Amino acid sequence: MNAAKDILQMALDQMDLSPTIRQAWFSKIEAVSFENDRLLLRTPVLFHKEIIDARFLDPMQQRLSELFGTSITVEVLTGDEQAAPQAASTISPDNEYTFENFIVGSSNRFAHAAAIAVANDRGRDYNPLFIYGQPGLGKTHLLHAIGNVMRKNHPQFRIIYVKGEDFTNELITAIQESNVPAFRGKYRMADLLLIDDIQFIAGKERTQEEFFHTFNTLYEAGKQIVLTSDRPPKEMSTLEDRMRSRFENGVLADIQAPDLETRMAIISAKAQELGCELPQDVMYEIAENLKSNVRQLQGTIKKIKAKHELGGEPVTIQMAQSVIDEVKSINPGLNPTPQMILKAVSSFYSVPVDQILANKRSKETVVPRQMAMYLVRKLTSASLPEIGKVFGRDHTTVMHACNKIEDARKQSAETDDIINTLIENIQNL
Ligand code: ADP
Ligand code: MG
């Protein structure tokens, strides 16, 4: 028995086509396969394919989806055309990214709550949910966690998870192979669309155009969309305005770097997960030294475990420090020194470092100096007195500077932009 053929028959019977129509467009059609909820058809006549795509594909998909109780896609090939790979990886339920193993702290509380709401269908007004933040802070984790809950609650849902980059590449391939309708069909059949690192589509006109239409189709059909990005929509400078306003119409949830308490909780949970017991002082050493990236925390614990288990080294603060140094050296910008920060601020404002440090209160140097203090405070583990030393000032001056910048950040989008740009510049050092 050829399942694909039977399914094609079923679809045609269900569609109530007149014999003339059926003869005109479907007489030459051949059922190729039925796999992963996709029915592949082939016709030697390009014109037939075009007509079917335009007029009959949607009703056919609809009938089949009703029949099967799950969404079915139909794709028509012509000539030697190969089927588009079913690239969008759907999420396997045993995925390791769940809400249960996500540690919540003040830095991610809102994003976590919004993700939970969406995952439990309470997110009607949270569409799209746009989660943004620096790398390594749990955006992909939350995205998968949503997918996993949805998969459990709605086994019939078609959940599409795709990276912004893959979405773009897939579209380019589809264009090259004149296969855009199939590409569209696939994404527009989604009940839940999860796009990771959407910043990759910014600046790519055709991809934005295509995504815009897919977005609207799903949005208007009441389907949930969740996006992640390394920056908020307003900072995606090459994003089309209409796209930006679509994103901003939903809920924007940012994830900040975790505070000390949360870092301790994450380290402790990860160590336990890895079956690796860490003394309290070692955990503290890690938390104090690696502030900006959860992925790095995890890497450090894994390395410590390996050194201990394979090399027989006892887990001491010294051993942890050497691992921390190794981890830091891989991407120095993620754990910048005050000097690195000073340099970045200096080149951003075009004010030499020695003037930032000088004992002068000219208008040109005050803001860069305060900004540098603020960023050292934010991105390093230096204490207020330590920062004071770097700048040749006392700790109350540093505190005042940090408060000043923090206030300015809250009041002006421009200051917020500048800070984000500076952080980005520093992290990419
Ligand atoms: P992003 O997508 O923001 O770059 P990921 O989601 O890939 O970051 O997170 C990096 C790693 O850190 C993942 O292994 C993830 O499980 C872990 N992680 C991030 N945040 C948390 C958290 N709050 N609790 C537990 N693990 C986390
Ligand atoms: Mg990610």
Side-chain angles (χ1 to χ4, degrees), residues 314-337:
V315 182
T316 61
I317 291 215
Q318 285 73 21
M319 187 257 238
Q321 275 164 348
S322 80
V323 172
I324 291 166
D325 288 343
E326 273 171 50
V327 169
K328 279 183 175 177
S329 69
I330 297 170
N331 189 345
L334 287 180
N335 294 284
T337 60

PDB file of all heavy atoms in Angstrom, residues 314-337:
ATOM      1  N   PRO A 314      43.070  18.033  43.885  1.00  0.00           N
ATOM      2  CA  PRO A 314      42.015  18.404  44.835  1.00  0.00           C
ATOM      3  C   PRO A 314      41.383  19.744  44.437  1.00  0.00           C
ATOM      4  O   PRO A 314      42.054  20.595  43.861  1.00  0.00           O
ATOM      5  CB  PRO A 314      42.768  18.540  46.164  1.00  0.00           C
ATOM      6  CG  PRO A 314      44.198  18.708  45.802  1.00  0.00           C
ATOM      7  CD  PRO A 314      44.403  18.049  44.468  1.00  0.00           C
ATOM      8  N   VAL A 315      40.092  19.882  44.737  1.00  0.00           N
ATOM      9  CA  VAL A 315      39.394  21.121  44.371  1.00  0.00           C
ATOM     10  C   VAL A 315      39.665  22.182  45.427  1.00  0.00           C
ATOM     11  O   VAL A 315      39.053  22.183  46.494  1.00  0.00           O
ATOM     12  CB  VAL A 315      37.879  20.876  44.231  1.00  0.00           C
ATOM     13  CG1 VAL A 315      37.185  22.168  43.802  1.00  0.00           C
ATOM     14  CG2 VAL A 315      37.606  19.771  43.225  1.00  0.00           C
ATOM     15  N   THR A 316      40.591  23.056  45.143  1.00  0.00           N
ATOM     16  CA  THR A 316      40.930  24.133  46.070  1.00  0.00           C
ATOM     17  C   THR A 316      40.682  25.470  45.383  1.00  0.00           C
ATOM     18  O   THR A 316      40.438  25.512  44.173  1.00  0.00           O
ATOM     19  CB  THR A 316      42.431  24.093  46.422  1.00  0.00           C
ATOM     20  OG1 THR A 316      43.165  24.274  45.190  1.00  0.00           O
ATOM     21  CG2 THR A 316      42.822  22.777  47.050  1.00  0.00           C
ATOM     22  N   ILE A 317      40.769  26.535  46.171  1.00  0.00           N
ATOM     23  CA  ILE A 317      40.612  27.868  45.586  1.00  0.00           C
ATOM     24  C   ILE A 317      41.675  28.102  44.511  1.00  0.00           C
ATOM     25  O   ILE A 317      41.381  28.636  43.448  1.00  0.00           O
ATOM     26  CB  ILE A 317      40.737  28.959  46.668  1.00  0.00           C
ATOM     27  CG1 ILE A 317      39.533  28.874  47.587  1.00  0.00           C
ATOM     28  CG2 ILE A 317      40.836  30.333  46.025  1.00  0.00           C
ATOM     29  CD1 ILE A 317      39.052  30.198  48.088  1.00  0.00           C
ATOM     30  N   GLN A 318      42.918  27.676  44.799  1.00  0.00           N
ATOM     31  CA  GLN A 318      43.999  27.895  43.829  1.00  0.00           C
ATOM     32  C   GLN A 318      43.688  27.199  42.508  1.00  0.00           C
ATOM     33  O   GLN A 318      43.867  27.767  41.436  1.00  0.00           O
ATOM     34  CB  GLN A 318      45.339  27.348  44.360  1.00  0.00           C
ATOM     35  CG  GLN A 318      45.983  28.200  45.446  1.00  0.00           C
ATOM     36  CD  GLN A 318      45.237  28.084  46.783  1.00  0.00           C
ATOM     37  OE1 GLN A 318      44.497  27.104  47.005  1.00  0.00           O
ATOM     38  NE2 GLN A 318      45.392  29.066  47.656  1.00  0.00           N
ATOM     39  N   MET A 319      43.241  25.966  42.615  1.00  0.00           N
ATOM     40  CA  MET A 319      42.918  25.225  41.399  1.00  0.00           C
ATOM     41  C   MET A 319      41.786  25.927  40.649  1.00  0.00           C
ATOM     42  O   MET A 319      41.848  26.124  39.431  1.00  0.00           O
ATOM     43  CB  MET A 319      42.530  23.792  41.774  1.00  0.00           C
ATOM     44  CG  MET A 319      42.355  22.906  40.576  1.00  0.00           C
ATOM     45  SD  MET A 319      40.634  22.648  40.208  1.00  0.00           S
ATOM     46  CE  MET A 319      40.551  20.866  40.300  1.00  0.00           C
ATOM     47  N   ALA A 320      40.783  26.354  41.393  1.00  0.00           N
ATOM     48  CA  ALA A 320      39.662  27.048  40.764  1.00  0.00           C
ATOM     49  C   ALA A 320      40.146  28.320  40.077  1.00  0.00           C
ATOM     50  O   ALA A 320      39.746  28.619  38.947  1.00  0.00           O
ATOM     51  CB  ALA A 320      38.591  27.374  41.792  1.00  0.00           C
ATOM     52  N   GLN A 321      41.041  29.031  40.739  1.00  0.00           N
ATOM     53  CA  GLN A 321      41.552  30.273  40.144  1.00  0.00           C
ATOM     54  C   GLN A 321      42.242  30.016  38.819  1.00  0.00           C
ATOM     55  O   GLN A 321      42.057  30.770  37.860  1.00  0.00           O
ATOM     56  CB  GLN A 321      42.537  30.955  41.104  1.00  0.00           C
ATOM     57  CG  GLN A 321      41.830  31.836  42.115  1.00  0.00           C
ATOM     58  CD  GLN A 321      42.724  32.192  43.286  1.00  0.00           C
ATOM     59  OE1 GLN A 321      43.799  31.612  43.473  1.00  0.00           O
ATOM     60  NE2 GLN A 321      42.276  33.143  44.087  1.00  0.00           N
ATOM     61  N   SER A 322      43.010  28.951  38.748  1.00  0.00           N
ATOM     62  CA  SER A 322      43.713  28.706  37.488  1.00  0.00           C
ATOM     63  C   SER A 322      42.717  28.345  36.385  1.00  0.00           C
ATOM     64  O   SER A 322      42.880  28.756  35.237  1.00  0.00           O
ATOM     65  CB  SER A 322      44.809  27.645  37.657  1.00  0.00           C
ATOM     66  OG  SER A 322      44.251  26.363  37.628  1.00  0.00           O
ATOM     67  N   VAL A 323      41.669  27.621  36.753  1.00  0.00           N
ATOM     68  CA  VAL A 323      40.645  27.309  35.742  1.00  0.00           C
ATOM     69  C   VAL A 323      39.922  28.594  35.312  1.00  0.00           C
ATOM     70  O   VAL A 323      39.686  28.823  34.122  1.00  0.00           O
ATOM     71  CB  VAL A 323      39.628  26.275  36.281  1.00  0.00           C
ATOM     72  CG1 VAL A 323      38.466  26.098  35.314  1.00  0.00           C
ATOM     73  CG2 VAL A 323      40.304  24.941  36.535  1.00  0.00           C
ATOM     74  N   ILE A 324      39.612  29.438  36.280  1.00  0.00           N
ATOM     75  CA  ILE A 324      38.934  30.693  35.972  1.00  0.00           C
ATOM     76  C   ILE A 324      39.785  31.520  35.005  1.00  0.00           C
ATOM     77  O   ILE A 324      39.287  32.066  34.016  1.00  0.00           O
ATOM     78  CB  ILE A 324      38.642  31.497  37.260  1.00  0.00           C
ATOM     79  CG1 ILE A 324      37.569  30.779  38.079  1.00  0.00           C
ATOM     80  CG2 ILE A 324      38.194  32.920  36.935  1.00  0.00           C
ATOM     81  CD1 ILE A 324      37.430  31.283  39.501  1.00  0.00           C
ATOM     82  N   ASP A 325      41.079  31.564  35.270  1.00  0.00           N
ATOM     83  CA  ASP A 325      41.967  32.319  34.375  1.00  0.00           C
ATOM     84  C   ASP A 325      41.941  31.754  32.958  1.00  0.00           C
ATOM     85  O   ASP A 325      41.900  32.499  31.981  1.00  0.00           O
ATOM     86  CB  ASP A 325      43.408  32.307  34.910  1.00  0.00           C
ATOM     87  CG  ASP A 325      43.540  33.195  36.136  1.00  0.00           C
ATOM     88  OD1 ASP A 325      42.628  34.033  36.342  1.00  0.00           O
ATOM     89  OD2 ASP A 325      44.514  33.039  36.887  1.00  0.00           O
ATOM     90  N   GLU A 326      41.952  30.435  32.868  1.00  0.00           N
ATOM     91  CA  GLU A 326      41.897  29.808  31.537  1.00  0.00           C
ATOM     92  C   GLU A 326      40.613  30.200  30.824  1.00  0.00           C
ATOM     93  O   GLU A 326      40.613  30.579  29.661  1.00  0.00           O
ATOM     94  CB  GLU A 326      41.876  28.279  31.668  1.00  0.00           C
ATOM     95  CG  GLU A 326      43.219  27.609  31.739  1.00  0.00           C
ATOM     96  CD  GLU A 326      43.042  26.131  32.080  1.00  0.00           C
ATOM     97  OE1 GLU A 326      42.227  25.448  31.415  1.00  0.00           O
ATOM     98  OE2 GLU A 326      43.687  25.663  33.040  1.00  0.00           O
ATOM     99  N   VAL A 327      39.492  30.071  31.558  1.00  0.00           N
ATOM    100  CA  VAL A 327      38.191  30.366  30.956  1.00  0.00           C
ATOM    101  C   VAL A 327      38.133  31.829  30.506  1.00  0.00           C
ATOM    102  O   VAL A 327      37.660  32.139  29.413  1.00  0.00           O
ATOM    103  CB  VAL A 327      37.050  30.056  31.943  1.00  0.00           C
ATOM    104  CG1 VAL A 327      35.723  30.583  31.460  1.00  0.00           C
ATOM    105  CG2 VAL A 327      36.956  28.548  32.177  1.00  0.00           C
ATOM    106  N   LYS A 328      38.651  32.700  31.338  1.00  0.00           N
ATOM    107  CA  LYS A 328      38.631  34.128  30.999  1.00  0.00           C
ATOM    108  C   LYS A 328      39.456  34.417  29.760  1.00  0.00           C
ATOM    109  O   LYS A 328      39.115  35.295  28.966  1.00  0.00           O
ATOM    110  CB  LYS A 328      39.207  34.947  32.150  1.00  0.00           C
ATOM    111  CG  LYS A 328      38.237  35.223  33.274  1.00  0.00           C
ATOM    112  CD  LYS A 328      38.944  36.101  34.285  1.00  0.00           C
ATOM    113  CE  LYS A 328      38.028  36.536  35.402  1.00  0.00           C
ATOM    114  NZ  LYS A 328      38.760  37.324  36.385  1.00  0.00           N
ATOM    115  N   SER A 329      40.570  33.715  29.619  1.00  0.00           N
ATOM    116  CA  SER A 329      41.467  34.044  28.516  1.00  0.00           C
ATOM    117  C   SER A 329      40.849  33.690  27.164  1.00  0.00           C
ATOM    118  O   SER A 329      41.277  34.188  26.128  1.00  0.00           O
ATOM    119  CB  SER A 329      42.808  33.331  28.684  1.00  0.00           C
ATOM    120  OG  SER A 329      42.620  31.944  28.498  1.00  0.00           O
ATOM    121  N   ILE A 330      39.833  32.852  27.164  1.00  0.00           N
ATOM    122  CA  ILE A 330      39.211  32.464  25.895  1.00  0.00           C
ATOM    123  C   ILE A 330      38.501  33.652  25.260  1.00  0.00           C
ATOM    124  O   ILE A 330      38.557  33.877  24.073  1.00  0.00           O
ATOM    125  CB  ILE A 330      38.222  31.299  26.109  1.00  0.00           C
ATOM    126  CG1 ILE A 330      39.000  30.083  26.603  1.00  0.00           C
ATOM    127  CG2 ILE A 330      37.482  30.974  24.819  1.00  0.00           C
ATOM    128  CD1 ILE A 330      38.143  28.949  27.074  1.00  0.00           C
ATOM    129  N   ASN A 331      37.814  34.433  26.062  1.00  0.00           N
ATOM    130  CA  ASN A 331      37.133  35.604  25.523  1.00  0.00           C
ATOM    131  C   ASN A 331      37.313  36.752  26.510  1.00  0.00           C
ATOM    132  O   ASN A 331      36.466  36.991  27.357  1.00  0.00           O
ATOM    133  CB  ASN A 331      35.648  35.287  25.303  1.00  0.00           C
ATOM    134  CG  ASN A 331      34.966  36.389  24.541  1.00  0.00           C
ATOM    135  OD1 ASN A 331      35.513  37.491  24.413  1.00  0.00           O
ATOM    136  ND2 ASN A 331      33.783  36.135  24.045  1.00  0.00           N
ATOM    137  N   PRO A 332      38.454  37.452  26.407  1.00  0.00           N
ATOM    138  CA  PRO A 332      38.805  38.419  27.446  1.00  0.00           C
ATOM    139  C   PRO A 332      37.734  39.475  27.659  1.00  0.00           C
ATOM    140  O   PRO A 332      37.537  39.934  28.778  1.00  0.00           O
ATOM    141  CB  PRO A 332      40.108  39.037  26.938  1.00  0.00           C
ATOM    142  CG  PRO A 332      40.214  38.690  25.504  1.00  0.00           C
ATOM    143  CD  PRO A 332      39.421  37.443  25.299  1.00  0.00           C
ATOM    144  N   GLY A 333      37.022  39.845  26.591  1.00  0.00           N
ATOM    145  CA  GLY A 333      36.040  40.909  26.706  1.00  0.00           C
ATOM    146  C   GLY A 333      34.893  40.572  27.647  1.00  0.00           C
ATOM    147  O   GLY A 333      34.208  41.455  28.155  1.00  0.00           O
ATOM    148  N   LEU A 334      34.667  39.292  27.865  1.00  0.00           N
ATOM    149  CA  LEU A 334      33.567  38.921  28.751  1.00  0.00           C
ATOM    150  C   LEU A 334      33.913  39.196  30.208  1.00  0.00           C
ATOM    151  O   LEU A 334      33.048  39.282  31.055  1.00  0.00           O
ATOM    152  CB  LEU A 334      33.198  37.450  28.557  1.00  0.00           C
ATOM    153  CG  LEU A 334      32.460  37.138  27.262  1.00  0.00           C
ATOM    154  CD1 LEU A 334      32.153  35.654  27.181  1.00  0.00           C
ATOM    155  CD2 LEU A 334      31.168  37.930  27.171  1.00  0.00           C
ATOM    156  N   ASN A 335      35.194  39.287  30.497  1.00  0.00           N
ATOM    157  CA  ASN A 335      35.631  39.615  31.856  1.00  0.00           C
ATOM    158  C   ASN A 335      36.684  40.700  31.788  1.00  0.00           C
ATOM    159  O   ASN A 335      37.856  40.471  32.031  1.00  0.00           O
ATOM    160  CB  ASN A 335      36.196  38.363  32.538  1.00  0.00           C
ATOM    161  CG  ASN A 335      35.111  37.333  32.739  1.00  0.00           C
ATOM    162  OD1 ASN A 335      34.282  37.463  33.624  1.00  0.00           O
ATOM    163  ND2 ASN A 335      35.094  36.331  31.878  1.00  0.00           N
ATOM    164  N   PRO A 336      36.262  41.885  31.444  1.00  0.00           N
ATOM    165  CA  PRO A 336      37.224  42.943  31.168  1.00  0.00           C
ATOM    166  C   PRO A 336      37.922  43.444  32.430  1.00  0.00           C
ATOM    167  O   PRO A 336      37.364  43.367  33.526  1.00  0.00           O
ATOM    168  CB  PRO A 336      36.360  44.046  30.568  1.00  0.00           C
ATOM    169  CG  PRO A 336      35.008  43.818  31.135  1.00  0.00           C
ATOM    170  CD  PRO A 336      34.870  42.339  31.327  1.00  0.00           C
ATOM    171  N   THR A 337      39.100  43.949  32.255  1.00  0.00           N
ATOM    172  CA  THR A 337      39.808  44.619  33.344  1.00  0.00           C
ATOM    173  C   THR A 337      39.428  46.098  33.294  1.00  0.00           C
ATOM    174  O   THR A 337      38.959  46.586  32.257  1.00  0.00           O
ATOM    175  CB  THR A 337      41.334  44.513  33.152  1.00  0.00           C
ATOM    176  OG1 THR A 337      41.660  45.147  31.904  1.00  0.00           O
ATOM    177  CG2 THR A 337      41.782  43.068  33.123  1.00  0.00           C
TER     178      THR A 337
END
